Amino acid sequence: MINEIALNDWYPVAMASELKPGCRLNRVLMEREIQISNDGDKTHAFEGSRVLPLQIRYDHVWTSLGAPARPLFEIPEGEQDGRRLVACGRVHVRCSPLRAVENFLDIAHFPYVHTGILGAEDHPEVERYDVEIDDEKDEVWARQVKFFQPQAAKSAEGGIMADYMYRVPAPTTSILYKTCPARVGEWDIITLFVQPVSETTCDVWPWMALYDDETPFNDLVQFQQTIFMQDRSILENQIPALLPLDPKMETPTRADLTSIAYRRWLKRRRMFYGAQTIAA
Amino acid sequence: MTQQSPSPTAKPSSSWIPVALSAGFRPGSNIRVFADGNDIALWSSFSGKLSAWVNRCPHRGMRLSHGFVRGEMLACIYHGWHFAQDANCKYIPAHPELVPGEMICAQAHHAHEQDGLLWVSCAEEEPDAPARLPGFGVRSLLIDAPRPVLAGVLEVTHEAQGRWELTLADQPVILGVQDWPEGRTGVHLLTKEAVSAETKKMLSRELEAMRRTCEAIAPVSASASASVPSGPSSRSGDAA
Amino acid sequence: MKLYDYVLSGNCYKIRLFAALLGIPYETVAVDLYPGKEQTRPAFLRLNPAGTLPVLQDGDLTLTDSSAILTYLARRHDPTGQWCPQDPELLAQLVGWLSFADDLTRTSGAARLHAIFKKPIDSVAAQKGAHALLRRLELHLCDQEFDDSSFLLGKAPTIADIACFPYVALAPDGGVELDGYAAVQRWIYAIRKLDGFLPMPGIHPLHEHPDKPLPEGLNARLEA
Amino acid sequence: MSFAKIEFYGTFDTRHFCDWIGHRAHKLGLTGRIEAASSERITLYVQGQEELLNAMEVACSLGPIDADVSHTNLVFIDPADASDWPNRFQIDVGPEVLADRR
């Protein structure tokens, strides 16, 4: 069942760069077939003959099957001068859209899933960090996250303690603010925009806004694709396929605080599309 | 062998089910098998001890059959939680100093090695060992047809505890038979006596010929065949 | 030596893996196969009119087929002849497996591109084709094991193994599971265990190597 | 061994949540007791390894499906002040909570 909450949110369905004049893209959003078309000067989204709301931001096309309850979230940093904006295409995954977001919020898997890149087996410890559900903004934030990384970014050389912040501005979007190797004091932004295809399948659109004038564009894209494809086999093998909102069958620890806060927030705002809502 | 009681989600079984051949299951192996419809991680420690666990990490639900063996432990590929032979978690890398309590554990079924076969039981109590029937492993094979089709095709002379005795290309052989999800069947071929490599190659082809016959009778649909092992995804199927 | 490379391509990975195993130095040029479709643009088509990856440039030589590149690297950099044997019987078999590897690309590789990038192909047919090839591979590897051999042509790995490995090991990415192919799984392990093995996204490094110790803290605790 | 007082605030079926907490304490190998004051607050006195006490707070902050935990508060307690803590998990549910349930 698609609940109202899920229906009324904004979702990414295409990269802006795909919108060539005359193009017509077929997409599936929450089990419904929709079309994105460009008539030369304007882009439209339809479900059958019904016109859907549409906006183009952060290099992606966003639409909604319902009446969006609130505007699309802001990423002010993404609009700062001097950043390189990198849309990485989409990766289809047989997992709940919520699991894709949850995994993105997790650092403890770096040593085993992203071995030698984002983590190392001899530095697995997760230090204490702060998590907050911001009721006013209706967002989840994790701050003061630190983790040892052998190669934190394409432009990083040698291991560093990377500083992270995570922000969940919408149930199917996660934004990572990460130590910027090229510009001290600034944050690189790496986001995961998730398009729910069904409750157990999704298309993931990674997008980055980086201060990095040196790394070739293609290397940036492929670094991000490498990381996400390492996650993909994990995501397709978690049981149950739906994200449990009652962790009775699981054993979260302090390192899972962001994941648990994310689930708590989903539960509170009654976003159940892709979630397991029966008591485990 | 483990002492943990089986998963409450496990479907009950009365006895042992042959799930793999001993031959080739080297120390450090970790594979996914099915018994009584249960998804199971079957693994061997580097000293050769065998375990069969519910294929689900108690931390965040990752399939343990994707994990890796370290010494006498199985580690989950997702966050590296290490589980010892008794299925108890011994190490949580995110909190290296933490000594997990014994209730933080994987869920164990029973595992047993005998007569060239690896056996799993999902029964509450560990059943008595299967009757002795020594065999020499040749190969395993997955057939896209259900067990009754095999039974109809083969002339089984004797049947006991998941093993069929029959003659294949004039050789007396044993076939360990195991139900897979979606109407498929796993078979594990053994000879009653040690045979040459040439004989094994011949038997391997005979077994494939038998598979072709079975699948011609009852083909599993192509889509089912392709999607079988992607695992449970329904709400009800995941409920504990 | 320059490799035009796409990190998620199994065919490019063949070259990266083999170069790593032999310790051959090279530089890479990342080509934006997805989402950029750079291989269809004029600049790339001048390099390789077929519009495919990988492409290897070594001096004046340009090679555009992964099996051709593997053969070239083996003959040029492996004086022992292990990786590309010249014995007529073995060489003939090797060529057969290189062709088999291309069949894997067309089936398992295509199913994977469909599963990841929604490439519009008949995915069910591709998966079915992949299973048919895996059955043939399983039969052959069982034969090899009966002769105490772990690899496609015998006791030592050759470029036949390297060519076939990626789209077998990556098959689960495309919904083609390897459960039930016991000999194939053992062969994958044997390749992952080779000195100098290089992983790629979807293929893990050998975490379960018997020589790898338990974590230090855990060892200390177990001894206490 | 560490000792902590953990408080949960929110809206929940107190009896159900208490059972859930007891289950989690058992899973983590913790001992202590629950004092359920109302359907909006539960207080937990719990002992075990520090990291497991943290895990207890994390798991219960999500809790059972019908619980909405708004916030939690964990305070570590001097062991000297906890000498008489029970060695198994006890659930004390006040009569007002049981009344709530009806």
Side-chain angles (χ1 to χ4, degrees):
Chain A
M1 265 296 284
I2 302 174
N3 66 22
E4 290 287 305
I5 303 292
L7 211 61
N8 290 338
D9 222 332
W10 290 100
Y11 299 102
V13 288
M15 286 191 295
S17 62
E18 292 178 274
L19 297 173
K20 307 280 190 296
C23 80
R24 185 184 169 86
L25 307 171
N26 296 309
R27 293 287 140 88
V28 179
L29 180 59
M30 294 191 284
E31 298 143 68
R32 296 195 194 168
E33 288 178 13
I34 63 166
Q35 292 80 40
I36 316 295
S37 64
N38 182 293
D39 60 14
D41 56 18
K42 210 160 183 301
T43 303
H44 309 274
F46 301 95
E47 184 195 16
S49 58
R50 187 165 74 100
V51 178
L52 301 177
L54 179 139
Q55 59 180 310
I56 298 172
R57 289 195 75 181
Y58 317 126
D59 294 334
H60 287 78
V61 178
W62 301 78
T63 189
S64 174
L65 294 170
R70 55 178 190 168
L72 184 64
F73 49 83
E74 295 294 326
I75 311 179
E77 301 87 349
E79 282 154 6
Q80 286 168 340
D81 285 346
R83 286 189 188 259
R84 287 175 75 189
L85 307 181
V86 185
C88 302
R90 69 169 162 170
V91 174
H92 185 70
V93 193
R94 289 170 296 174
C95 77
S96 157
L98 307 178
R99 283 214 183 267
V101 170
E102 188 201 52
N103 174 72
F104 191 78
L105 302 172
D106 183 78
I107 51 172
H109 72 284
F110 290 174
Y112 297 94
V113 180
H114 308 299
T115 313
I117 305 175
L118 299 183
E121 255 204 83
D122 51 357
H123 290 86
E125 185 165 7
V126 176
E127 293 179 20
R128 185 173 286 278
Y129 57 86
D130 301 328
V131 175
E132 175 201 15
I133 295 176
D134 184 329
D135 285 320
E136 199 176 317
K137 293 203 185 87
D138 196 16
E139 295 185 346
V140 182
W141 277 85
R143 296 186 178 87
Q144 305 284 327
V145 185
K146 293 182 198 307
F147 203 70
F148 177 85
Q149 300 200 329
Q151 189 197 348
K154 192 67 201 176
S155 58
E157 275 178 39
I160 53 163
M161 281 305 280
D163 291 306
Y164 279 10
M165 291 192 296
Y166 287 100
R167 174 184 166 209
V168 185
T172 54
T173 296
S174 180
I175 304 170
L176 163 65
Y177 299 81
K178 184 176 188 176
T179 310
C180 175
R183 208 182 280 202
V184 178
E186 294 286 355
W187 299 93
D188 277 337
I189 290 175
I190 301 169
T191 70
L192 214 59
F193 301 143
V194 183
Q195 170 190 346
V197 173
S198 72
E199 288 201 85
T200 55
T201 53
C202 60
D203 283 340
V204 170
W205 305 84
W207 180 73
M208 304 188 283
L210 311 172
Y211 285 116
D212 179 344
D213 298 326
E214 311 215 327
T215 311
F217 181 87
N218 293 355
D219 288 317
L220 293 173
V221 172
Q222 291 185 32
F223 182 79
Q224 191 53 31
Q225 290 181 341
T226 295
I227 298 301
F228 191 74
M229 280 303 292
Q230 289 176 332
D231 287 319
R232 188 173 178 273
S233 70
I234 303 290
L235 289 170
E236 296 197 336
N237 282 285
Q238 277 179 281
I239 306 166
L242 298 169
L243 183 73
L245 293 189
D246 178 336
K248 192 164 186 178
M249 295 293 286
E250 301 192 352
T251 318
T253 71
R254 180 172 51 77
D256 300 299
L257 199 53
T258 319
S259 144
I260 292 296
Y262 171 60
R263 296 191 202 189
R264 178 151 62 116
W265 179 67
L266 291 175
K267 191 163 85 172
R268 192 185 297 174
R269 71 202 305 286
R270 307 192 67 74
M271 167 58 184
F272 295 150
Y273 191 77
Q276 188 184 60
T277 52
I278 53 162
Chain B
M1 298 294 284
T2 51
Q3 283 78 47
Q4 291 287 315
S5 60
S7 152
T9 57
K11 291 172 198 158
S13 161
S14 54
S15 192
W16 294 104
I17 292 163
V19 294
L21 291 172
S22 305
F25 201 75
R26 60 179 164 73
S29 293
N30 176 25
I31 64 171
R32 182 188 193 192
V33 299
F34 295 92
D36 286 330
N38 295 302
D39 191 343
I40 290 165
L42 180 75
W43 66 280
S44 163
S45 76
F46 276 103
S47 76
K49 293 198 185 84
L50 188 69
S51 303
W53 292 352
V54 171
N55 199 2
R56 184 180 178 286
C57 179
H59 175 217
R60 291 259 290 263
M62 180 65 196
R63 287 204 171 90
L64 286 171
S65 58
H66 286 245
F68 54 93
V69 178
R70 279 286 164 80
E72 297 305 287
M73 299 200 191
L74 181 69
C76 176
I77 191 66
Y78 198 5
H79 299 95
W81 285 30
H82 283 52
F83 301 88
Q85 295 285 315
D86 57 8
N88 287 344
C89 180
K90 298 293 183 202
Y91 177 63
I92 298 176
H95 311 289
E97 305 299 318
L98 174 63
V99 182
E102 60 184 29
M103 290 304 288
I104 300 179
C105 57
Q107 293 167 304
H109 297 297
H110 307 289
H112 181 66
E113 177 170 3
Q114 185 188 304
D115 294 336
L117 284 164
L118 305 180
W119 305 77
V120 169
S121 168
C122 301
E124 195 101 3
E125 294 291 322
E126 182 170 343
D128 293 337
R132 291 302 312 270
L133 181 59
F136 298 83
V138 178
R139 67 171 291 197
S140 298
L141 197 76
L142 202 52
I143 301 174
D144 288 347
R147 182 194 293 248
V149 173
L150 270 70
V153 165
L154 297 169
E155 284 183 35
V156 178
T157 53
H158 187 252
E159 182 177 351
Q161 288 181 302
R163 284 165 302 183
W164 297 352
E165 292 179 59
L166 58 140
T167 303
L168 194 65
D170 296 330
Q171 285 284 330
V173 299
I174 302 159
L175 210 56
V177 184
Q178 166 199 12
D179 292 325
W180 272 62
E182 314 241 350
R184 306 208 290 169
T185 311
V187 295
H188 311 284
L189 178 68
L190 308 94
T191 51
K192 286 194 167 181
E193 285 163 10
V195 295
S196 69
E198 291 316 307
T199 304
K200 287 183 189 170
K201 289 177 191 175
M202 182 269 292
L203 287 172
S204 171
R205 280 156 181 74
E206 285 300 319
L207 194 64
E208 294 209 345
M210 185 274 283
R211 172 165 69 186
R212 279 191 292 276
T213 307
C214 290
E215 293 180 352
I217 295 169
V220 173
S221 78
S223 60
S225 162
S227 69
V228 163
S230 60
S233 61
S234 69
R235 281 166 192 270
S236 56
D238 301 327
Chain C
M1 205 163 67
K2 201 186 268 184
L3 176 68
Y4 291 81
D5 187 39
Y6 177 59
V7 72
L8 301 184
S9 154
N11 281 331
C12 293
Y13 171 58
K14 293 172 187 177
I15 314 306
R16 299 198 300 271
L17 171 60
F18 190 48
L21 290 168
L22 260 61
I24 306 169
Y26 63 98
E27 55 178 305
T28 57
V29 180
V31 178
D32 186 10
L33 195 82
Y34 182 84
K37 293 186 188 163
E38 193 180 343
Q39 79 283 5
T40 63
R41 289 189 221 151
F44 187 86
L45 290 173
R46 271 194 284 279
L47 178 72
N48 176 12
T52 58
L53 285 173
V55 175
L56 185 83
Q57 279 185 321
D58 193 8
D60 292 335
L61 178 70
T62 300
L63 294 169
T64 61
D65 174 275
S66 59
S67 293
I69 297 169
L70 289 176
T71 307
Y72 171 72
L73 293 179
R75 295 293 288 156
R76 178 145 303 258
H77 293 278
D78 168 33
T80 69
Q82 175 211 306
W83 290 94
C84 185
Q86 291 306 292
D87 168 78
E89 229 175 272
L90 287 176
L91 184 59
Q93 289 174 25
L94 184 137
V95 172
W97 285 112
L98 294 181
S99 164
F100 186 87
D102 289 338
D103 292 341
L104 284 166
T105 303
R106 279 188 284 273
T107 53
S108 170
R112 179 171 171 269
L113 284 180
H114 175 83
I116 299 172
F117 296 137
K118 297 275 186 72
K119 187 178 179 180
I121 56 142
D122 182 345
S123 169
V124 171
Q127 290 176 330
K128 214 175 154 189
H131 278 293
L133 293 174
L134 286 168
R135 284 181 167 195
R136 280 169 58 194
L137 182 63
E138 176 81 8
L139 175 70
H140 176 74
L141 288 169
C142 284
D143 283 356
Q144 293 298 99
E145 289 180 348
F146 299 147
D147 291 331
D148 292 321
S149 294
S150 302
F151 298 99
L152 290 174
L153 298 190
K155 292 185 199 308
T158 64
I159 55 172
D161 298 284
I162 304 305
C164 293
F165 175 72
Y167 285 119
V168 172
L170 294 170
D173 273 355
V176 177
E177 297 295 337
L178 297 173
D179 309 313
Y181 297 104
V184 168
Q185 291 188 44
R186 287 192 286 270
W187 171 74
I188 289 173
Y189 176 80
I191 293 171
R192 287 171 66 229
K193 199 161 165 266
L194 294 172
D195 281 341
F197 175 79
L198 182 81
M200 80 163 270
I203 304 175
H204 291 291
L206 196 68
H207 289 293
E208 66 269 40
H209 200 282
D211 298 335
K212 277 196 180 163
L214 288 171
E216 256 175 57
L218 177 57
N219 252 337
R221 201 191 303 152
L222 292 174
E223 280 161 22
Chain D
M1 187 69 73
S2 299
F3 299 82
K5 174 183 173 183
I6 313 178
E7 290 168 301
F8 300 102
Y9 299 88
T11 311
F12 26 75
D13 177 331
T14 311
R15 181 75 226 190
H16 184 202
F17 197 4
C18 286
D19 289 344
W20 200 96
I21 290 171
H23 181 273
R24 179 61 42 159
H26 179 65
K27 186 174 198 163
L28 296 176
L30 304 176
T31 59
R33 70 177 196 277
I34 303 172
E35 281 182 10
S38 71
S39 61
E40 284 160 1
R41 183 162 68 91
I42 289 175
T43 307
L44 200 64
Y45 296 91
V46 65
Q47 62 177 302
Q49 290 174 73
E50 183 179 328
E51 214 45 270
L52 291 175
L53 301 184
N54 288 323
M56 185 75 187
E57 183 192 20
V58 170
C60 298
S61 73
L62 185 52
I65 194 69
D66 55 5
D68 176 11
V69 181
S70 60
H71 63 285
T72 67
N73 185 32
L74 183 148
V75 185
F76 285 101
I77 289 173
D78 190 329
D81 297 334
S83 54
D84 59 341
W85 284 27
N87 60 6
R88 53 181 289 277
F89 217 83
Q90 296 173 2
I91 303 176
D92 300 327
V93 180
E96 65 275 29
V97 169
L98 291 174
D100 260 15
R101 191 165 162 73
R102 284 192 293 272

